[in-house]
Amino acid sequence: MDSTRVTEQPTSFERPQPGVDPADPRGAFLRTPTPERAAGTGAALPVQGRAAGEPPAPGAGPGAGAPGTVTPGGSAPGPAEGPGSEHSQPGTGPDAEPDAHRPRPAPDGIPVQPADGQGRVARPPEGKERRTGQVTRPGRPTPMRRDGDRLRFVGAATRRIARGIDLDEIVMGLCRATVPTFSDAILVYLRDPLPVGDERPTGPLMLRLRRTDRIPAERDTEGGGFMPAAPPEPSELDSVGEELCTVRPGSALAEVLRGVRPVFTDAPAARAALPELLGEDGASAVPDGQRAILAPLRGRRRVIGAALFLRRPERIPFEADDLLVAAQLATHSALGIDKAVLYGREAYIADELQRTMLPETLPRCTGVRLASRYLPAAETARVGGDWYDAIPLPGSRVALVVGDVMGHSMTSAAIMGQLRTTAQTLAGLDLPPQEVLHHLDEQAQRLGVDRMATCLYAVYDPVAHRITIANAGHPPPVLLHLGGRAEVLRVPAGAPIGVGGVDFEAVELEAPAGATLLLYTDGLVESRLRDVWTGIEQLREKLAATAQLTGPDHPPPLEALCDEVLDMLGPGDRDDDIALLAARFDGIAPSDVAYWFLEPEDAAPGRARRLARRQLSRWGMDELSDSVELLVSEVVTNAVRYATRPVTLRLLRTDVLRCEVGDDVPQLPRLRQARATDEGGRGLYLVNRLARRWGATRLSTGKVVWFELNHG
């Protein structure tokens, strides 16, 4: 049986197989045996293969070893080779010893040229090169690598660069792929600022040093790597690099960058460009000869930077083929940087879109405290169709809304924004919850036939301690009572928004003081690992367990409660984005509310002043009597002038004093500057000057004008 064994290798160079030659004319990836190390030397010379019938190199006679075996320094002869022994594996010959030396695995990338014990590059004996067939002369460096090695290195390096998504990952991938395999140091300069897409940059071309990478210590030729224990010795490469440089039009650096192709720095144009890029001190530290390559980084439209590859003087110089390697690395890196910049811009737009679609801050409403959370589905899907909202309503009420548009894309976010705007408009009309969902359903059908969404709309009245809820295919809310009992509210599910032709039903429930209502989207309770009802039960148990920590008389803090709810998510539970809205019902006690009906007659303003003064005296707020009387008189006068039905007057005592006047006229009052000859028109001007806040809201039966005053 033939002792020659051919071993196939994968195309990836990232997992080299020990003992396999990197190139073979028959197409298989093979490796020749590595010669034994010479006694007393720091490295072995690379094996230079011979073609069939080729005479041995000078000095490779019987005394130097068996035919076909290179034994530097008079080392012991190796095993004999047969006719096909160029591709033989160590230990496969008939005379091979069981413990024969095997080649060490090569590091990722291009094999580097081994050095001797003094750090000098080892030279092969005078003879013929296998790759070129030419006779080598003493002193001429052996080719550092073969063409197959370069191809595998470029493939591995480009795969590593392509794995990066953002700018830093791509630049770091370029540095890690080239140092120390291709160069001893690399400097990457990028344009500052980087242009995005087709936008035309303004101002001078500025290059900023984005990243550098250098060999940290001397090469360990024994292991084919670096010795991490030894501290790095100072090198002239450590002084190379300037933080920022300006590329002047027509300068040598501008010409090199415009040429696009990598060049050796010993060329006159590149040598003149180095001081502009690195500074005078940095340019003087660049090794002489072909030990530095300056490669422009060109994206799709323009040059976006430059990369400088450096080798130490003790290492053999670059070859002409290395310019092709540098060109491939620069091209892939530049295109990756271009895509990363575009991806960063799209991610920024997505973040801004999502942030503007959701409320920046929740309103401060009377009798209720609010908290919210939003989590995107993933870092690569930062936008989605989930939203929440809290909308103040007349009568100190508040509308709580949570919805979910199908999908988590830019389209879903755009539809969500339109539905949220529609919901805010409908809430301003003070429509019942079921009517709001009905109009949202019509709006979704106008947006498209496949615009589906779920929504839950609730209105909380802190005076009546009641909440009215209508549902459109959304998961039911959970109410956490003050004693620690968590209850899943029984709300009719209804059909999703966008189905059309369905009616929505509203239910009115008790909302006791101290209770917490939790509205959420299905991403919180549904995933690939659990169904929606299992998740709702886990949510209920989580709320009950959290409430037990604070005792039966104290509800858990609202912000901490939201964080605890999100902690129930496991590693595989993030399949969708999550919107969460929590409302703590404080309510308004009946003793803090005063309510009257006033007939629309001329005596109504005077009666309103007397009622307000009497009520403020009961509450011990006499210091506000003068201001309240003046403002109530002005607002009631305006209401009585146009009203045909009784006018309502209500005073609410919370952290502020709130006064509300309602009538049956839908037109909202407008603040205007009265002229000197006008007899009226100054009522709202006084309200605007004396009140803490004021406003007017249109109702289905008229309007409400309100104002607030601070009290001590």
Side-chain angles (χ1 to χ4, degrees):
M1 183 175 180
D2 191 3
S3 62
T4 302
R5 184 176 59 188
V6 178
T7 305
E8 293 186 1
Q9 276 291 94
T11 57
S12 172
F13 190 74
E14 296 181 351
R15 294 291 183 271
Q17 179 176 345
V20 180
D21 193 81
D24 180 62
R26 293 172 297 175
F29 298 113
L30 307 169
R31 184 180 297 278
T32 56
T34 302
E36 300 179 4
R37 298 176 55 83
T41 61
L45 293 177
V47 176
Q48 301 293 327
R50 296 181 289 106
E54 185 177 74
T69 304
V70 180
T71 56
S75 60
E81 298 178 335
S85 60
E86 181 182 356
H87 307 301
S88 300
Q89 299 294 324
T92 58
D95 300 331
E97 298 181 6
D99 297 330
H101 293 288
R102 293 183 179 274
R104 297 180 181 273
D108 291 348
I110 301 177
V112 297
Q113 183 74 6
D116 58 15
Q118 288 73 30
R120 297 187 302 270
V121 177
R123 303 287 188 246
E126 183 177 357
K128 289 186 178 181
E129 299 177 6
R130 176 188 175 187
R131 185 178 63 176
T132 61
Q134 299 177 356
V135 178
T136 60
R137 295 183 298 275
R140 178 185 176 185
T142 303
M144 190 180 68
R145 60 192 71 82
R146 299 172 181 173
D147 293 338
D149 297 328
R150 285 191 176 91
L151 291 176
R152 279 187 291 274
F153 165 70
V154 171
T158 52
R159 284 192 298 271
R160 187 165 192 171
I161 295 170
R163 282 197 294 263
I165 296 178
D166 59 14
L167 183 61
D168 292 332
E169 290 180 351
I170 293 174
V171 175
M172 184 176 66
L174 171 63
C175 295
R176 297 290 175 84
T178 55
V179 177
T181 307
F182 182 68
S183 62
D184 296 329
I186 183 175
L187 286 80
V188 181
Y189 285 84
L190 294 182
R191 194 166 190 155
D192 187 25
L194 276 170
V196 180
D198 297 332
E199 69 180 21
R200 186 178 300 275
T202 59
L205 173 58
M206 306 286 292
L207 294 181
R208 183 177 295 276
L209 183 61
R210 184 76 183 195
R211 186 180 177 90
T212 63
D213 205 353
R214 296 177 175 84
I215 294 181
E218 293 296 329
R219 174 172 292 278
D220 179 17
T221 56
E222 178 71 21
F226 297 97
M227 296 181 295
E233 296 292 335
S235 172
E236 66 277 2
L237 298 184
D238 296 334
S239 61
V240 176
E242 288 289 337
E243 182 68 21
L244 187 66
C245 74
T246 303
V247 182
R248 298 183 302 272
S251 63
L253 180 58
E255 294 299 323
V256 172
L257 296 178
R258 189 171 62 179
V260 176
R261 296 182 179 179
V263 293
F264 292 119
T265 56
D266 60 348
R271 178 58 62 177
L274 286 180
E276 188 177 353
L277 180 65
L278 308 176
E280 294 294 340
D281 297 337
S284 61
V286 175
D288 296 330
Q290 294 183 352
R291 288 184 172 86
I293 295 177
L294 180 59
L297 303 178
R298 179 176 177 82
R300 296 184 306 157
R301 302 291 182 184
R302 60 187 65 84
V303 173
I304 59 174
L308 183 63
F309 304 93
L310 301 167
R311 285 185 180 177
R312 290 193 175 105
E314 62 269 17
R315 191 172 177 182
I316 64 174
F318 289 107
E319 300 179 358
D321 291 342
D322 292 326
L323 291 178
L324 301 177
V325 175
Q328 288 290 328
L329 296 177
T331 299
H332 283 275
S333 300
L335 294 177
I337 291 171
D338 249 2
K339 295 178 181 178
V341 173
L342 290 173
Y343 171 78
R345 172 62 63 86
E346 290 190 2
Y348 170 78
I349 293 174
D351 288 340
E352 287 296 309
L353 175 63
Q354 187 68 56
R355 186 173 60 85
T356 54
M357 292 297 180
L358 297 175
E360 294 184 4
T361 57
L362 294 174
R364 298 185 59 184
C365 302
T366 304
V368 62
R369 285 174 287 172
L370 303 171
S372 62
R373 295 290 187 273
Y374 176 81
L375 293 179
E379 286 296 323
T380 54
R382 302 182 184 182
V383 294
D386 292 13
W387 91 90
Y388 61 89
D389 215 340
I391 309 167
L393 299 178
S396 300
R397 296 171 302 155
V398 59
L400 307 174
V401 191
V402 64
D404 183 4
V405 178
M406 292 178 56
H408 37 79
S409 61
M410 301 286 282
T411 303
S412 301
I415 297 173
M416 177 265 288
Q418 297 182 68
L419 294 180
R420 178 175 176 244
T421 302
T422 304
Q424 288 180 331
T425 304
L426 296 172
L429 299 176
D430 197 29
L431 297 179
Q434 64 272 21
E435 291 296 326
V436 172
L437 295 184
H438 176 72
H439 289 292
L440 284 177
D441 180 58
E442 292 180 341
Q443 175 67 13
Q445 295 179 64
R446 285 191 290 266
L447 294 177
V449 293
D450 57 345
R451 306 312 188 200
M452 305 288 292
T454 62
C455 182
L456 191 143
Y457 188 92
V459 176
Y460 170 63
D461 189 344
V463 177
H465 296 273
R466 307 283 292 180
I467 185 168
T468 306
I469 306 175
N471 191 7
H474 204 77
V478 180
L479 183 65
L480 178 63
H481 294 269
L482 184 60
R485 181 174 63 92
E487 175 189 6
V488 180
L489 298 182
R490 296 183 178 180
V491 181
I497 290 174
V499 174
V502 295
D503 293 331
F504 299 97
E505 182 180 354
V507 294
E508 187 175 349
L509 305 171
E510 290 287 339
T516 304
L517 183 69
L518 198 70
L519 308 179
Y520 53 92
T521 55
D522 58 355
L524 179 66
V525 295
E526 186 180 19
S527 68
R528 292 170 294 178
L529 305 179
R530 59 184 178 185
D531 61 87
V532 60
W533 289 108
T534 302
I536 292 175
E537 181 62 23
Q538 293 178 0
L539 173 61
R540 189 192 64 80
E541 295 175 354
K542 182 68 174 180
L543 291 174
T546 304
Q548 295 298 327
L549 300 177
T550 58
D553 299 330
H554 301 281
L558 206 56
E559 296 291 342
L561 181 65
C562 293
D563 295 334
E564 289 293 331
V565 167
L566 294 181
D567 285 343
M568 65 177 284
L569 297 173
D573 291 350
R574 291 285 302 280
D575 297 333
D576 197 0
D577 46 340
I578 299 171
L580 179 66
L581 179 63
R584 173 71 43 78
F585 300 144
D586 294 333
I588 301 176
S591 59
D592 294 330
V593 181
Y595 193 85
W596 304 280
F597 286 95
L598 303 175
E599 292 296 330
E601 55 189 13
D602 295 340
R607 184 166 180 261
R609 290 194 297 268
R610 290 191 301 271
L611 294 174
R613 177 179 290 274
R614 191 180 305 142
Q615 187 62 42
L616 292 178
S617 178
R618 294 194 188 101
W619 287 340
M621 304 171 65
D622 297 297
E623 70 278 2
L624 298 179
S625 295
D626 295 338
S627 300
V628 171
E629 282 189 58
L630 176 60
L631 299 184
V632 165
S633 179
E634 293 295 336
V635 177
V636 172
T637 299
N638 290 337
V640 169
R641 180 177 302 174
Y642 304 103
T644 59
R645 295 181 180 180
V647 176
T648 60
L649 172 63
R650 185 165 71 169
L651 295 180
L652 302 173
R653 182 182 63 170
T654 56
D655 53 343
V656 297
L657 179 65
R658 182 182 177 98
C659 177
E660 300 174 350
V661 178
D663 57 61
D664 60 344
V665 181
Q667 287 79 16
L668 299 181
R670 295 288 183 264
L671 180 64
R672 65 183 181 89
Q673 187 70 33
R675 294 174 295 183
T677 57
D678 291 342
E679 296 182 359
R682 296 174 177 84
L684 289 182
Y685 178 76
L686 293 175
V687 175
N688 185 62
R689 291 297 301 269
L690 298 179
R692 172 180 174 265
R693 290 194 311 158
W694 77 278
T697 306
R698 183 178 286 110
L699 305 177
S700 57
T701 58
K703 68 175 181 296
V704 168
V705 180
W706 57 270
F707 63 85
E708 294 177 351
L709 293 173
N710 293 322
H711 60 80

